[in-house]
Amino acid sequence: MADPQSQTDFSFFQIFLCSAFAACIAELCTIPLDVAKVRLQLQKRAAAADGAGQSKYRGLLGTITTIAREEGLPALWKGVIAGLHRQCIYGGLRIGLYDPVKLYLVGNNFVGDIPLHQKILAALFTGALAISVANPTDLVKVRLQAEGKLPAGVPRRYSGTLDAYFTIIRQEGLIALWTGIGPNIARNAIINAAELASYDQVKQMILKIPGFLDNVFTHLLAGLGAGFFAVCIGSPVDVVKSRMMGDPTYKNTIDCFVKTLKNEGPFAFYKGFLPNFGRLGSWNVVMFLTLEQARKLFGL
């Protein structure tokens, strides 16, 4: 990430645009992996409802292949419009505010490397704030991604992204757009801290190694590290978030957590771990590479 002292040299609007653009590019490139992750996370519930004795989706590639074969290639980009809505708001805010918040925490006169705990605090705050605003876009995205191939004659719940927003408001009320806000704040605050703070820290450590420069290879390594830490730390809350948003029958966060633990055991919270890492790892690499280049283009 950029040196916080440089934040006074350019506007938040420029940072927001770079961040939103980078997040949207990453979303476009990796959303098939996100669709596969959501299907895997919801699989046990779907299989039980269908009375199936065998899991329909198996592994990242198997899930992608099954979706493409049964529903067509476009199905792998389900929820992409809502996903772009989400990244414009969430990605722009959480990344754009990160450096200014770090600077606020340490003070304008701070000199040297910002402590890791200050980076974590800044990322926790910006992640929680950003998703509080963007939760409706996340809800619609998950609802659209969760809907698989339906039997003949059975209509889809939503005809598209805008229809999903209006249908949810009409049938469930405006407040329903913030369904799952508890686990979503927890998930995104934690994952944002894991992503931004670890990218910041890993990049800082790499640049202290002789021979390493602030270039694409360094950004690639730091992005992979950020994705790995994010998945390890955030998978449990990510599963709860996906299940609450995909199935409105859960009463609250605790109800979803307890039922998942009771019915499926603790490993259920790491369901879809590999596709989640494939998604977040590649997402972080694409996003940070794009962000660094966008910032250089604007001289930030």
Side-chain angles (χ1 to χ4, degrees):
M1 306 301 291
D3 183 351
Q5 275 77 6
S6 67
Q7 298 303 309
T8 56
D9 298 331
F10 49 87
S11 70
F12 167 75
F13 182 67
Q14 289 175 299
I15 312 170
F16 179 90
L17 284 180
C18 287
S19 304
F21 173 73
C24 285
I25 293 296
E27 188 76 7
L28 283 171
C29 292
T30 63
I31 200 164
L33 299 173
D34 196 39
V35 172
K37 178 207 74 173
V38 170
R39 295 286 181 89
L40 284 167
Q41 288 178 335
L42 297 175
Q43 175 156 259
K44 184 69 70 174
R45 179 183 59 82
D50 295 338
Q54 191 174 16
S55 296
K56 180 178 181 180
Y57 303 118
R58 293 189 175 186
L60 176 60
L61 294 179
T63 302
I64 290 175
T65 302
T66 300
I67 294 171
R69 183 178 65 250
E70 293 186 351
E71 304 169 44
L73 283 174
L76 292 170
W77 274 266
K78 277 186 177 179
V80 66
I81 301 301
L84 293 177
H85 291 169
R86 178 184 186 274
Q87 293 305 337
C88 281
I89 301 171
Y90 174 67
L93 287 175
R94 75 179 180 106
I95 302 168
L97 288 171
Y98 175 63
D99 281 336
V101 171
K102 277 195 307 181
L103 180 60
Y104 175 80
L105 289 175
V106 299
N108 291 324
N109 298 322
F110 182 84
V111 177
D113 294 334
I114 294 177
L116 178 59
H117 74 276
Q118 299 282 37
K119 297 174 183 176
I120 292 173
L121 284 175
L124 284 171
F125 174 77
T126 61
L129 175 65
I131 202 58
S132 296
V133 177
N135 196 81
T137 63
D138 210 7
L139 175 74
V140 169
K141 176 186 170 186
V142 171
R143 291 277 183 97
L144 291 171
Q145 288 177 335
E147 196 168 52
K149 185 179 181 181
L150 299 174
V154 177
R156 294 193 175 277
R157 284 193 296 175
Y158 315 115
S159 61
T161 304
L162 290 179
D163 179 63
Y165 286 116
F166 291 122
T167 300
I168 292 169
I169 293 173
R170 185 174 64 252
Q171 295 180 352
E172 304 173 43
L174 180 63
I175 197 68
L177 289 173
W178 276 267
T179 297
I181 186 65
N184 214 13
I185 286 178
R187 181 252 186 196
N188 285 281
I190 292 169
I191 288 182
N192 195 50
E195 286 180 352
L196 298 188
S198 64
Y199 180 85
D200 217 351
Q201 194 71 13
V202 170
K203 180 182 172 183
Q204 179 181 305
M205 292 171 62
I206 291 174
L207 291 176
K208 290 181 178 179
I209 301 173
F212 281 88
L213 303 173
D214 190 0
N215 54 24
V216 171
F217 183 64
T218 296
H219 304 158
L220 174 66
L221 292 178
L224 282 173
F228 179 75
F229 283 116
V231 177
C232 288
I233 296 170
S235 270
V237 286
D238 189 42
V239 169
V240 172
K241 184 268 295 186
S242 290
R243 292 194 174 198
M244 282 193 68
M245 290 184 166
D247 183 357
T249 60
Y250 289 114
K251 297 177 183 177
N252 50 48
T253 304
I254 296 176
D255 179 57
C256 182
F257 180 86
V258 170
K259 285 181 178 177
T260 301
L261 181 63
K262 180 181 178 180
N263 297 332
E264 303 171 45
F267 289 108
F269 295 109
Y270 285 89
K271 187 173 285 292
F273 180 87
L274 288 179
N276 202 6
F277 174 63
R279 193 287 204 257
L280 268 182
S282 56
W283 193 96
N284 275 278
V285 167
V286 174
M287 193 281 290
F288 282 116
L289 286 176
T290 306
L291 179 62
E292 296 277 11
Q293 296 307 310
R295 283 182 160 177
K296 286 182 179 179
L297 183 64
F298 283 94
L300 305 182

